[in-house]
Amino acid sequence: MTDKILTDLQQLIDPTYIKVDEQLRNHTYTKLGGKADFFLMPSKVEEVQAIVKYANDNQVPFTLLGNGSNVIVRDGGIRGIVLSLKRFDGIRREGNQVIAESGARIIDASRFALKEELTGLEFACGIPGTVGGALYMNAGAYGGEIKDCLESALVVNSEGKVIRLPAEAFDLSYRTSNIPTKKLIVLEATFSLEPGKREDIKAVMDDLTYKRESKQPLEYPSCGSVFKRPPGHFAGKLIQDSDLQGKGVGGAEVSTKHAGFIVNKNNATATEYIEVIEMVQRTVKEKFGVDLEREVRILGED
């Protein structure tokens, strides 16, 4: 069966961009995760459509992976097809709009807007995810979020059709959207921005970059901020007040620099990383009666 799927996939995209038993730890910010049966990196819309249709028609499991900045892949890896849109990385300007393909980093879209003297994407200058991933979770930082500037997005739906949808169609709210429930694949996003002065835009981005680098444990692999902000609280403060910083399991631990981060400090496994997440949730619930909801996605099998 595996040989047949491989043969079929080689008819859909350049075989150079098909990897069998690919280690997903090489594609996640946490440096965690087992193997993908088939790791595909298409570069054309038609290829994405063909892959989606093939997976649906043949009941082959299908998973979309951005640049792995906000996901944990379990040690058993992911069965079936893992689709990466890293080769969809173009960014261009049309009027006061920045149009970025889904595999481009949202950081790079922010930097492009700076170069073009367009304001509105400064908040994204430190968010490590892709444009597609940023839409998927309505990424935000320092008071700004994707829904503030998104005008529309080009997507492939579950039937493999390409459609353009306005921003309001995605039900963007705090760290969530309807993209996963509607099984959409973002191909590109259009951001509506405003003309600004380069020095003013750069000053804001420099300030946000300083705040990020001084407060976040960027020296270790991590998935970024693990938990959503609970109503009336800050996740990091609750974790800090629970005396959990420096506590961990195996090679994974709660960061001593920022309690909202869990770092892969010493060749952790995904199982250890997830056990630390669960330990934090359990402890905060016991101490403060607050349920911490994960912001990070967990994919794959043990």
Side-chain angles (χ1 to χ4, degrees):
M1 183 62 178
T2 298
D3 290 342
K4 182 183 186 309
I5 294 174
L6 178 60
T7 300
D8 291 344
L9 293 175
Q10 288 172 338
Q11 309 306 309
L12 302 181
I13 73 169
D14 182 343
T16 305
Y17 296 101
I18 300 174
K19 297 184 179 182
V20 179
D21 290 335
E22 176 71 1
Q23 289 285 358
L24 291 172
R25 68 174 60 97
N26 298 326
H27 301 278
T28 62
Y29 269 53
T30 55
K31 302 302 179 188
L32 303 172
K35 296 177 180 179
D37 291 344
F38 303 99
F39 187 81
L40 276 56
M41 295 178 286
S43 63
K44 300 174 183 175
V45 173
E46 296 78 15
E47 292 174 340
V48 176
Q49 291 177 281
I51 293 165
V52 171
K53 187 174 188 307
Y54 175 81
N56 287 338
D57 291 348
N58 295 277
Q59 289 78 53
V60 178
F62 178 88
T63 303
L64 181 65
L65 184 69
N67 68 347
S69 64
N70 199 50
V71 299
I72 299 166
V73 176
R74 295 183 188 271
D75 298 314
I78 300 177
R79 304 288 67 79
I81 295 169
V82 173
L83 182 69
S84 168
L85 297 182
K86 288 182 180 179
R87 297 175 70 205
F88 282 74
D89 61 356
I91 305 173
R92 65 188 189 275
R93 175 179 182 169
E94 291 184 7
N96 289 333
Q97 297 176 334
V98 167
I99 301 171
E101 294 182 349
S102 62
R105 298 190 309 161
I106 192 68
I107 287 176
D108 291 334
S110 179
R111 291 171 179 166
F112 180 86
L114 166 65
K115 182 173 70 73
E116 296 294 320
E117 298 189 81
L118 293 172
T119 182
L121 266 178
E122 291 90 331
F123 72 91
C125 69
I127 298 174
T130 61
V131 168
L135 265 67
Y136 185 102
M137 64 173 293
N138 185 31
Y142 301 109
E145 52 189 350
I146 291 297
K147 75 179 183 68
D148 297 337
C149 55
L150 180 69
E151 179 168 296
S152 66
L154 192 69
V155 303
V156 174
N157 67 15
S158 58
E159 286 79 46
K161 295 179 181 177
V162 177
I163 53 176
R164 180 170 294 279
L165 296 172
E168 53 269 24
F170 297 106
D171 290 340
L172 298 172
S173 57
Y174 179 65
R175 302 300 176 266
T176 189
S177 72
N178 63 17
I179 290 173
T181 55
K182 291 198 170 184
K183 297 182 179 179
L184 303 175
I185 297 174
V186 177
L187 296 174
E188 69 175 30
T190 298
F191 300 104
S192 184
L193 307 177
E194 297 291 335
K197 293 183 178 179
R198 187 181 189 281
E199 56 269 29
D200 295 340
I201 298 169
K202 186 175 186 300
V204 172
M205 291 173 67
D206 287 348
D207 179 56
L208 297 183
T209 299
Y210 171 76
K211 288 178 179 176
R212 174 174 177 263
E213 292 178 348
S214 62
K215 294 179 181 178
Q216 297 181 10
L218 304 178
E219 65 272 25
Y220 294 112
S222 83
C223 62
S225 182
V226 178
F227 304 103
K228 295 181 180 180
R229 185 178 66 244
H233 300 275
F234 291 98
K237 183 70 164 57
L238 290 170
I239 297 166
Q240 182 179 330
D241 291 347
S242 298
D243 298 319
L244 287 170
Q245 288 182 277
K247 304 283 179 62
V249 178
E253 71 174 44
V254 178
S255 168
T256 56
K257 190 173 184 180
H258 189 310
F261 284 64
I262 294 171
V263 295
N264 179 357
K265 196 169 182 179
N266 187 23
N267 297 315
T269 64
T271 299
E272 291 169 345
Y273 202 97
I274 293 167
E275 285 178 2
V276 176
I277 292 175
E278 292 170 346
M279 176 188 71
V280 169
Q281 290 174 312
R282 189 168 56 249
T283 305
V284 168
K285 177 67 172 178
E286 289 170 356
K287 275 186 169 282
F288 300 104
V290 177
D291 291 307
L292 290 182
E293 183 182 352
R294 278 190 289 104
E295 181 175 304
V296 62
R297 290 190 298 149
I298 298 177
L299 306 175
E301 56 190 43
D302 291 318

